[in-house]
Amino acid sequence: MASGAYGDASQKIDYVFKVVLIGDSAVGKSQILSRFARNEFSLDSKATIGVEFQTRTLVIQHKSVKAQIWDTAGQERYRAVTSAYYRGAMGAMLVYDITKRQTFDHIPRWLEELRAHADKSIVIILIGNKSDLEDQRAVPTEDAKEFAQKEELFFLETSALGATNVEEAFMTVLSEIFNIVTKKTLAAGEDRGSDNSSSLAGKKIIIPGPAQIIPERNRMCCRSS
Ligand code: GTP
Ligand code: MG
C-alpha cells in the first residue's frame, strides 16, 4: 500500500499527540480539522454536537507521529464535559473568525478555560480563521499578534476553505510538542546514566502523560529557535 501524505494504517507509530480545538461556534474548527485530516472542506458544515476526533499520521524528524485532533461544540449547550476533553491534551488550537470581532473578544475566556483544565505545559496556538474573507475582516492581524505575544501563544491566520496555513498551524503545534517530548526523553536518559540507555534506544511507543512532559517552566511560546 502506498503511504501518502494522509497516512497509512499499517505504519508503525512512534508517538501519539492529542491536540484539542476550541473557540466559539461557527469559527471553523471542524472545517480546519477536516482540511487537515482529510483535505476536505464543506461550506454547509453543521454545528458539532458533543466531541469528535480525527487522526492523521505524519513524519517529524524521521519519527512517525499520530496526531489525534479533538473537536467539540463551540455552543455551550452541545459541549461535552470539559475536563475529559482536555485530559492528556498536549496541544490546543484556539480559533476565532477574523470576520467576527466577538469571537476574538471571547478568546481570553477560552484561554481561561484552557488554563483551568489543561496541563500547564500545553502548547497553544491562536488561529484567526477565514482569512479568505479579507473584505469582511473585523479583527486586524496586529491586534491578534499583540494578544498572542502578551499571552505567549503561537499565532497564525488560516483559511480552511483556501487551505491556507492549516498545515502550518498543525505543524507548528506538533513540532513544538515533539521538541518538548524528545528533549524530555533525552533528559530522562541522561539522568538514568548509561546503564539504561539501551532501553531508550528502541522503538517503544511512548505516550507521555502530561506530568511527564512538563518542562521546568512553561515554554509554550514563540521562541524563534
Ligand atoms: P461549532 O461546531 O458549532 O463549534 O462550529 P465550528 O467552529 O466547528 O465551525 P464549522 O467548521 O462548522 O464552520 C462554520 C461555517 O464556517 C461553515 O459554514 C463553514 O463552511 C465556514 N467556514 C469554515 N472555515 C472557513 C474558512 O476558512 N473560510 C470561509 N469562508 N468559511 C469557512
Ligand atoms: Mg464544529
Side-chain angles (χ1 to χ4, degrees):
M1 203 200 292
S3 165
Y6 291 87
D8 168 355
S10 67
Q11 72 195 109
K12 86 175 189 7
I13 304 294
D14 296 301
Y15 297 98
V16 178
F17 296 160
K18 174 178 173 180
V19 174
V20 294
L21 281 157
I22 51 172
D24 282 7
S25 183
V27 296
K29 298 180 298 298
S30 298
Q31 290 309 308
I32 288 174
L33 175 52
S34 160
R35 175 63 76 192
F36 175 69
R38 291 177 277 124
N39 199 17
E40 288 174 7
F41 176 84
S42 156
L43 261 179
D44 60 355
S45 167
K46 292 194 182 62
T48 305
I49 296 175
V51 172
E52 302 166 355
F53 75 83
Q54 293 187 44
T55 63
R56 181 175 146 196
T57 301
L58 30 82
V59 175
I60 302 176
Q61 292 182 33
H62 309 293
K63 298 285 183 192
S64 77
V65 172
K66 181 183 270 195
Q68 189 186 76
I69 316 296
W70 292 57
D71 180 24
T72 189
Q75 286 182 56
E76 190 79 45
R77 61 190 164 137
Y78 292 143
R79 300 193 65 215
V81 187
T82 44
S83 51
Y85 185 66
Y86 292 116
R87 190 168 304 134
M90 299 158 88
M93 310 183 95
L94 210 50
V95 188
Y96 68 94
D97 175 344
I98 68 151
T99 72
K100 300 245 160 30
R101 181 74 205 191
Q102 207 185 35
T103 66
F104 178 69
D105 292 339
H106 287 164
I107 289 291
R109 274 195 233 165
W110 286 109
L111 200 52
E112 233 170 74
E113 175 169 308
L114 192 57
R115 290 189 168 144
H117 294 278
D119 190 86
K120 296 293 165 270
S121 67
I122 194 166
V123 176
I124 308 172
I125 184 168
L126 177 66
I127 294 183
N129 189 42
K130 309 197 186 181
S131 63
D132 55 287
L133 300 176
E134 185 58 44
D135 54 337
Q136 295 170 45
R137 178 187 286 277
V139 183
T141 307
E142 271 313 308
D143 290 12
K145 219 181 242 175
E146 209 173 279
F147 178 83
Q149 257 164 15
K150 182 166 67 83
E151 297 292 340
E152 306 198 315
L153 317 172
F154 289 103
F155 167 64
L156 272 178
E157 286 187 349
T158 61
S159 168
L161 181 150
T164 311
N165 272 348
V166 173
E167 193 78 10
E168 288 78 356
F170 280 97
M171 284 314 291
T172 299
V173 171
L174 295 168
S175 310
E176 180 69 4
I177 297 171
F178 184 90
N179 288 338
I180 293 172
V181 168
T182 49
K183 264 188 199 144
K184 196 70 191 174
T185 308
L186 262 183
E190 281 159 13
D191 288 349
R192 273 183 257 163
S194 53
D195 289 356
N196 274 342
S197 59
S198 60
S199 66
L200 293 164
K203 353 80 228 171
K204 266 253 172 82
I205 298 174
I206 302 165
I207 307 171
Q212 292 168 271
I213 63 155
I214 302 175
E216 247 68 270
R217 65 194 166 78
N218 194 329
R219 52 188 299 285
M220 53 196 168
C221 190
C222 347
R223 285 159 304 102
S224 53
S225 62

